[in-house]
Each structure stands twice: as structure tokens, then as C-alpha cells.
Amino acid sequence: MTVTSPSRPSRTRASRAIRTRGGFSFRFEPRAILSTLLLIAAALSMGVVLIGSGDFPMSPGDVVRTLLGNGTSSQEFIVTELRVPRVVVAVLVGAALGASGAVFQSISRNPLGSPDVIGFGQGATAGALVVIVLFKGNAFAVTGGALVGCLLTGAAVYFLAWKRGVHGFRLVLVGIGAAAMLTALNHYLITKASIVDATRATVWMTGSLDGRGWEQAWPLLGVCVVLIPLVLGHGRSLRMMEMGDDAAYALGVSVERARLVLMLSAVLLIAVATAAAGPIAFVALSAPQLARRLTRSPGANLGASVCMGATLLVIADWVAQQAFGDTQLPVGVVTGVLGGCYLLWLLVTERKAGRI
């Protein structure tokens, strides 16, 4: 095995290419790996703090002892049945949003090419509202409606953006148009709903982790275990595609096949995340950008984006529960406020750079 370093090291990153005798090679970036490990540690630490928060407070030591099976019966019930499922859902939803945001921003080559900007979150919301308002469906039916709505929106945006391939600029424009139409549809459905259904729909549209249990965690875990490694496995193809379709073809990438697999995986991730917790805004937009700034590495930064999304949502849920005294906010309110501020900063930065 040989290790080669670039002859002209970058000011922003230090990377190495590792090649084996069998022809396998991969890039080794110490800063990116360290950043990802720190994000994992931060997510786990905040998860322990979040589990210990609430009406029955517990110290981090008590939480760890309980998780290891050494707690009292009351601690076991509170931790394993009430609080751990919520934290698991927060981590998985954040990871799914981070992965899907990184995929769409890389494919569109646009920092604003996020699922909640180009219509997929609105599509899931429309599906859920149709079930709530028109069919008076239960929680399981609402979850199914959100999944179907997001998948239909993803298919529609993909085919409308197709013209001898799907290119980033068309994808963003079609997605923004779809988001506008779906937002209007959602408002129309709210106006036609009864006061009870409108209240129920509004609560769901805010995005919340309240009451989330193992029944939401296990399906979400199954989808993430399959799709997130699939997305990570296409990281090299995604990096090649960022240089343009012609360059990717020349480097041996089956561009349309890779793009279709990545987009389908990202749509499924955003669909299951939205079905589990509602449309939580701006995590998919901000997680990949923050991950890139932390790692100082070009490309999609898929692994760091996944970990950043999980960390952001766990921190946002802690803020929603603890920062306002006895008043607990839905986590979607916190991510919306913080994400809106980040979006304004991003727009100003892109404008000063002359990219918009």
C-alpha cells in the first residue's frame, strides 16, 4: 500500500490518496475525519443531556448507568420508554435531513438546492393534509400520506426538470415552482378544514418530536440503515458529477443512473423523516453548508453532513424544551428561527461573492 500526497497542498485542507496493491484507492482527509468524529461525540453527548432533561431530571452519570442497565425501575421506564425513543428519532431525522440536503445541493450545484426549498417538504405536507382534512385519517394514515406526497412530488420535479438529463439549474427552478404551488394547496386545505382538523394539521405542519416513540423510531431506523450507506457509497460519483456531466462520463461514472439512485434515496429519506416528525425546516439546508465550513473540504461531505444534521436537531430539541422555561416549543419552531437567520446570512454571502 502506498500513500501519496498532493504536490501543491491546499490552504484549506490536507488530503492524501491511499492506494492498495489490489487497485483500490480512497482519499484520506484528517480534518474531515476529525470533524466527523467530533460531531458524533457532540450528538451523543447532547443526546445524554437531552435524556436527562425534563420533569424528572437526571444527571448524565445516572443516564449512562441506566442505559447500561444499572438504574432503578423508575429510571429504566423513564429513560428507555419515554426519552430514548424521542432522542433516537431526533438523531435519525436529523441524519436523514442532512444526507438528503447534501445530495440535492451537490446535484444542483447550488447551496439553496435543499429539499425544503425545492418542494419536497411541501409535498409531504400536502399528502398529510389531504389525509387529515379530506379523509380524517389516523396517525398511521397521516404518515402514509406524507410518504406518498413526498414521493409524488419528487417524481414530478424529476420528470419536469428532465431535458436530455436533469441539470441543477432546472431542478432548482422547477422545485421552487412546485414548492409555491404546493404551499398554495396547503393553505387552501387548511381553509377548508374544520377547526379541529385545522388545529391538528397546523400542529403537524410545525414539526415536532413530542410523543415520538419506538413505533416511529424502528421504521425510520430501518430506512436509514439501508439508504444512508447507499448514499455514502455513491460519494465518489457525486464528487465527479460536481465537475459536470461530461467530465463525470469521462471518468467512468454512469451519470444518469447515479443521479437517479441518489435522488430517489434522498427523496425517500426526506419522506420518512417528514412522516416521522413533520416538516422540520432548514436542517437539510444548513447541515451540509455547516459541515463543509467545518471540514474545509470540497465536495458533498456526506458523512459530515449526516452527523451535522443529527447534532443540529438534537441541540434544537434541547433548546425547544429548556430555553423558554415552562413553555416547550415544537422543535420545528426553533429550527425555523435559526435556519431563517442562517438563510439570510447565506444569501448575503452568496450575493457578495457574485453568485446570485
Side-chain angles (χ1 to χ4, degrees):
M1 181 173 66
T2 61
V3 179
T4 61
S5 299
S7 59
R8 297 172 65 182
S10 169
R11 292 184 305 169
T12 59
R13 61 187 177 95
S15 63
R16 298 171 180 174
I18 299 178
R19 297 182 177 88
T20 65
R21 290 193 178 94
F24 178 75
S25 66
F26 60 93
R27 295 174 66 237
F28 177 78
E29 299 186 11
R31 183 185 176 94
I33 294 174
L34 178 60
S35 300
T36 302
L37 292 176
L38 289 175
L39 287 171
I40 292 173
L44 293 176
S45 300
M46 283 304 304
V48 170
V49 172
L50 188 57
I51 292 171
S53 303
D55 294 334
F56 186 83
M58 299 171 61
S59 68
D62 289 338
V63 171
V64 173
R65 281 192 294 271
T66 304
L67 291 173
L68 295 175
N70 298 321
T72 64
S73 57
S74 59
Q75 289 175 334
E76 292 276 355
F77 174 77
I78 291 171
V79 170
T80 60
E81 297 299 324
L82 299 180
R83 295 181 181 173
V84 168
R86 176 173 179 151
V87 174
V88 170
V89 171
V91 169
L92 293 174
V93 168
L97 293 174
S100 61
V103 167
F104 278 109
Q105 289 181 21
S106 182
I107 287 176
S108 64
R109 296 198 286 271
N110 191 321
L112 299 179
S114 172
D116 44 7
V117 174
I118 59 177
F120 299 118
Q122 291 85 346
T125 302
L129 288 181
V130 168
V131 173
I132 292 173
V133 175
L134 301 182
F135 299 102
K136 316 295 181 183
N138 56 22
F140 180 78
V142 171
T143 299
L147 282 169
V148 172
C150 189
L151 292 174
L152 290 177
T153 303
V157 170
Y158 182 85
F159 287 113
L160 289 173
W162 176 275
K163 184 179 180 182
R164 295 189 297 274
V166 175
H167 298 282
F169 187 68
R170 284 201 304 271
L171 179 67
V172 172
L173 288 180
V174 171
I176 290 174
M181 290 187 293
L182 289 167
T183 299
L185 173 62
N186 294 339
H187 291 163
Y188 172 77
L189 290 172
I190 290 290
T191 62
K192 291 298 181 182
S194 66
I195 194 68
V196 174
D197 289 338
T199 301
R200 180 186 172 197
T202 302
V203 170
W204 189 89
M205 290 170 61
T206 304
S208 176
L209 295 169
D210 291 342
R212 298 305 186 266
W214 291 116
E215 61 273 16
Q216 286 86 26
W218 288 120
L220 186 59
L221 177 62
V223 173
C224 289
V225 164
V226 173
L227 293 182
I228 289 180
L230 179 62
V231 169
L232 294 176
H234 282 77
R236 179 181 178 277
S237 298
L238 202 57
R239 289 179 65 93
M240 299 300 103
M241 288 158 55
E242 286 186 342
M243 297 188 295
D245 289 358
D246 293 339
Y249 276 122
L251 291 169
V253 177
S254 179
V255 173
E256 288 305 326
R257 177 183 174 275
R259 185 181 286 124
L260 180 60
V261 170
L262 285 165
M263 288 185 64
L264 179 60
S265 300
V267 169
L268 286 171
L269 285 170
I270 195 73
V272 296
T274 305
I280 296 177
F282 290 114
V283 174
L285 173 70
S286 58
Q289 296 298 314
L290 293 175
R292 179 174 294 188
R293 283 165 171 77
L294 182 63
T295 62
R296 295 182 184 175
S297 176
N301 288 280
L302 292 173
S305 298
V306 168
C307 297
M308 179 64 77
T311 303
L312 286 178
L313 198 55
V314 172
I315 293 174
D317 194 31
W318 181 84
V319 172
Q321 292 187 52
Q322 302 297 319
F324 301 95
D326 295 334
T327 302
Q328 292 191 14
L329 297 177
V331 69
V333 174
V334 176
T335 61
V337 171
L338 298 178
C341 295
Y342 175 78
L343 178 60
L344 290 175
W345 175 83
L346 180 62
L347 290 172
V348 171
T349 302
E350 292 294 304
R351 185 174 183 275
K352 287 183 177 178
R355 289 188 285 266
I356 60 174

